[in-house]
Amino acid sequence: MAGAEANIMWTATELKQRGCAVGLLHGAGTGRGEAAWSETFTHRFALTALESREGVRRAVSEFQPDVVYVHKMADLQVLEALADSGTPVARMVHDHELYCMRGSKYRYLTRKICTRAASPFCVVPCGAFLGRNRENGGRFPFKWVSYAAKRKEIRINQRFHRMVVATRYMGDELVRNGFDPARIEIHAPVPRTNDACARSTFSERNLIIYAGQIIRGKGVDVLLGALARVTVPFECLIFGDGSHRAHCERLSVALGLSDRVRFAGYVPQEELKKHYREASLAVMSSVWPEPFGAVGLEGMRHGLPVVAFDAGGIKEWLIDGDNGYLVPWMDRAQFAARVEELLLNKSLARNMGDRALQLIARRYDFGKYITGLEEMFTRVMAEAEPEQPVENKVFDSLVDQRALF
């Protein structure tokens, strides 16, 4: 499961425990890991490409949801059918795919972050209608994307009652693309498990942790360029996988980092926690504009400071000089200097880690996150309800209400 799928499961499971009936409107099954989904979603409605519009109508008619909560969905027929259903719709915007033809909000060749709204201008600098292609095995990571279809997708989403984002940065991107600010709410996704994490020991290993995808936008190659400038002894474990891994492994050898950097691939969360306990800092090298950057908060949960580039919404939880360092975009020299400073000054690193934990406790609590969503759903339902006598309005909670994901 990626971030969106995990968020759906956490949210639906908790809402169900709080008394809300939840249903799932989904595409074709994969046969992988479906048992947990069947346990949470006893009401499930499958869609096929040939009857997606009618499938939505049947699901809404049978389940009769009080609110629909949309996640990563780009099928125009599905979106339009939901908008026309008469049921209030909220959408969680996980990334840039809604309003960016490439889906990454940065230029493919230069990696420069884009600050424009979706427009005909996107056709030329982003590669003549091109977007990312995850499906084919072609040489170039592109597929044809219709600008007209993208504009229609935006217009349909503008009809929804709420757009949910994790950061102000993402909210501003929606406003830039014509969304009503009054219909945008910030609810930063928080992992369902809020168990206390073991604090890092800041061992003498000078261990640096990177965890995440190894794709071009995550800037692991830029991270390696920065680490090659660090003069004090260190170890760096790079956890994750992706299409850029082979290139980064070759680059690590070329930069003379083979004895200090190890590509460990994907590991289970429990194993990753063991490495965080030995670490001295966590790094995020994303050069694309992160919508949120939740992986950085995972390091902070272990009392670690974070060093990251200033890209997207990261600066809303990473406060430069307080709980880590926010480095100017693509500045390898300063990134290296900040890493070296924290490795040499463990007292400073611990103090920053303490403040990171305080921020997590203050702003990123799972229970408060779900309560915030409940309150939003309640407002949305109240706004969509035809006027009726005050005594008949019962919107104090979502208990006994029905939400369709």
Side-chain angles (χ1 to χ4, degrees):
M1 295 196 301
E5 291 83 2
N7 178 257
I8 292 169
M9 280 292 288
W10 298 331
T11 302
T13 301
E14 180 64 20
L15 287 175
K16 188 175 181 179
Q17 290 177 356
R18 294 187 181 198
C20 179
V22 295
L24 181 68
L25 186 64
H26 62 88
T30 64
R32 298 191 302 272
E34 292 184 2
W37 291 80
S38 297
E39 183 178 346
T40 294
F41 295 100
T42 52
H43 304 275
R44 299 182 301 279
F45 307 90
L47 293 172
T48 67
L50 295 178
E51 58 169 18
S52 56
R53 190 184 299 272
E54 185 57 34
V56 170
R57 291 181 183 135
R58 283 201 305 269
V60 170
S61 175
E62 181 178 337
F63 187 64
Q64 296 188 354
D66 296 288
V67 64
V68 176
Y69 193 25
V70 177
H71 289 262
K72 287 175 70 69
M73 169 56 66
D75 186 304
L76 297 183
Q77 290 193 56
V78 171
L79 294 174
E80 199 158 34
L82 289 172
D84 292 339
S85 69
T87 304
V89 179
R91 173 165 188 166
M92 174 64 149
V93 183
H94 291 270
D95 49 40
H96 304 294
E97 290 187 352
L98 171 58
Y99 45 76
C100 176
M101 293 174 66
R102 287 194 61 243
S104 53
K105 204 60 182 172
Y106 77 99
R107 309 283 172 79
Y108 181 74
L109 296 178
T110 66
R111 292 200 275 198
K112 183 178 180 181
I113 293 175
C114 175
T115 58
R116 292 178 177 268
S119 72
F121 179 84
C122 301
V123 170
V124 176
C126 285
F129 313 104
L130 294 175
R132 295 180 299 177
N133 186 0
R134 295 171 175 156
E135 293 81 22
N136 73 14
R139 180 177 178 184
F140 298 105
F142 298 121
K143 66 178 177 182
W144 294 105
V145 173
S146 163
Y147 173 70
K150 181 57 63 180
R151 289 303 314 172
K152 183 176 181 180
E153 182 182 356
I154 291 172
R155 288 195 300 271
I156 295 171
N157 277 267
Q158 287 170 342
R159 297 173 57 192
F160 292 166
H161 294 72
R162 284 295 187 281
M163 302 298 283
V164 180
V165 294
T167 55
R168 289 189 302 274
Y169 164 74
M170 288 295 288
D172 291 343
E173 286 298 315
L174 289 178
V175 172
R176 191 198 306 273
N177 282 277
F179 285 81
D180 182 356
R183 294 190 176 195
I184 300 170
E185 294 194 22
I186 300 173
H187 297 277
V190 177
R192 185 166 185 257
T193 172
N194 256 3
D195 298 334
C197 295
R199 293 288 304 274
S200 169
T201 61
F202 293 87
S203 73
E204 294 304 314
R205 291 175 61 188
N206 277 357
L207 179 60
I208 301 166
I209 298 287
Y210 169 92
Q213 290 180 289
I214 307 179
I215 56 177
R216 198 162 178 269
K218 295 296 185 179
V220 175
D221 57 331
V222 183
L223 170 64
L224 294 171
L227 292 178
R229 300 168 183 245
V230 175
T231 60
V232 300
F234 71 87
E235 298 177 52
C236 179
L237 292 177
I238 296 178
F239 295 101
D241 211 339
S243 58
H244 214 218
R245 177 174 173 175
H247 168 80
C248 290
E249 288 179 328
R250 292 191 296 270
L251 179 61
S252 179
V253 173
L255 291 172
L257 293 170
S258 300
D259 58 338
R260 290 174 287 173
V261 174
R262 180 162 67 90
F263 289 80
Y266 170 81
V267 298
Q269 192 66 26
E270 286 305 311
E271 182 178 341
L272 184 58
K273 288 179 180 179
K274 296 177 183 177
H275 294 290
Y276 275 129
R277 292 172 198 148
E278 285 282 302
S280 294
L281 69 147
V283 291
M284 281 190 70
S285 53
S286 295
V287 294
W288 82 306
E290 286 280 357
F292 183 46
V295 69
L297 274 73
E298 286 306 301
M300 289 167 55
R301 291 182 194 282
H302 292 271
L304 290 172
V306 177
V307 178
F309 290 121
D310 185 0
I314 293 175
K315 62 185 172 186
E316 296 183 33
W317 52 262
L318 180 53
I319 304 164
D320 186 46
D322 182 80
N323 56 4
Y325 286 119
L326 196 65
V327 177
W329 183 77
M330 293 278 273
D331 189 333
R332 296 168 178 82
Q334 188 170 143
F335 199 102
R338 293 308 193 187
V339 166
E340 190 161 317
E341 180 180 359
L342 291 172
L343 293 179
L344 287 170
N345 190 339
K346 296 293 178 69
S347 176
L348 173 64
R350 286 190 181 90
N351 289 337
M352 285 187 168
D354 288 341
R355 290 191 287 272
L357 279 172
Q358 292 166 13
L359 182 139
I360 290 287
R362 186 171 66 250
R363 287 174 47 183
Y364 299 106
D365 174 77
F366 179 71
K368 292 178 182 177
Y369 167 62
I370 298 297
T371 297
L373 290 179
E374 280 190 299
E375 292 170 349
M376 177 197 68
F377 292 144
T378 299
R379 289 192 296 273
V380 166
M381 290 173 352
E383 292 167 11
E385 187 74 12
E387 191 61 34
Q388 45 182 293
V390 173
E391 61 268 23
N392 292 336
K393 292 183 179 179
V394 184
F395 294 117
D396 291 333
S397 73
L398 271 179
V399 174
D400 296 327
Q401 300 295 340
R402 304 173 76 82
L404 180 64
F405 285 69

